[in-house]
Amino acid sequence: IKSQHKKSIRYNDISVLEKHHLAAAFAVLLDSNFDITMALHEDQYWVFRTTVVKMVLATDIMKQEEVLNAFNNNRGIPNFPNNDKEKNTLLNMALRVADHGNPL
């Protein structure tokens, strides 16, 4: 971001790499040879897209405290996750752990 890289400017210095990765991934899905969402109904597609966007944006290091707090606040709740918000919290944490575990 400090280098005023093209991607920083394009994504307004906020979650730059995460937004770049999302744009690239969804651009790949525009090719019918790679579109894993092809069989989804429109409402299912938008749930998928919204969920993936939230999950990837949650990997931004600037969101670390927010994601960890949301997860920790739900730990110990019987039958967690109980609703869509709690499911998103769990998915965000799962991707964050996978992202953190990546040695690259």
Side-chain angles (χ1 to χ4, degrees), residues 67-85:
V67 172
L68 292 174
N69 286 340
F71 180 73
N72 285 330
N73 290 339
N74 287 293
R75 285 181 28 196
I77 293 176
N79 302 316
F80 173 70
N82 292 298
N83 55 50
D84 287 343
K85 183 177 178 183

Side-chain angles (χ1 to χ4, degrees), residues 84-104:
D84 287 343
K85 183 177 178 183
E86 290 177 4
K87 287 176 190 174
N88 285 333
T89 296
L90 186 58
L91 289 169
N92 290 348
M93 190 63 182
L95 188 59
R96 178 166 255 318
V97 168
D99 185 51
H100 182 72
N102 183 357
L104 302 177

Side-chain angles (χ1 to χ4, degrees), residues 8-93:
S8 295
I9 294 167
R10 174 179 291 151
Y11 300 114
N12 299 312
D13 302 326
I14 300 169
S15 302
V16 173
L17 289 177
E18 293 78 10
K19 289 180 180 178
H20 169 70
H21 294 147
L22 285 163
F26 282 100
V28 168
L29 294 179
L30 294 175
D31 182 335
S32 62
N33 293 316
F34 303 108
D35 187 359
I36 61 171
T37 65
M38 193 178 302
L40 298 178
H41 295 291
E42 185 176 357
D43 58 329
Q44 293 172 315
Y45 171 80
W46 287 107
V47 168
F48 168 79
R49 181 174 165 85
T50 302
T51 301
V52 170
V53 168
K54 287 178 182 178
M55 289 172 63
V56 173
L57 291 177
T59 65
D60 185 339
I61 194 70
M62 299 302 289
K63 304 260 185 191
Q64 177 174 313
E65 189 173 336
E66 178 184 334
V67 172
L68 292 174
N69 286 340
F71 180 73
N72 285 330
N73 290 339
N74 287 293
R75 285 181 28 196
I77 293 176
N79 302 316
F80 173 70
N82 292 298
N83 55 50
D84 287 343
K85 183 177 178 183
E86 290 177 4
K87 287 176 190 174
N88 285 333
T89 296
L90 186 58
L91 289 169
N92 290 348
M93 190 63 182

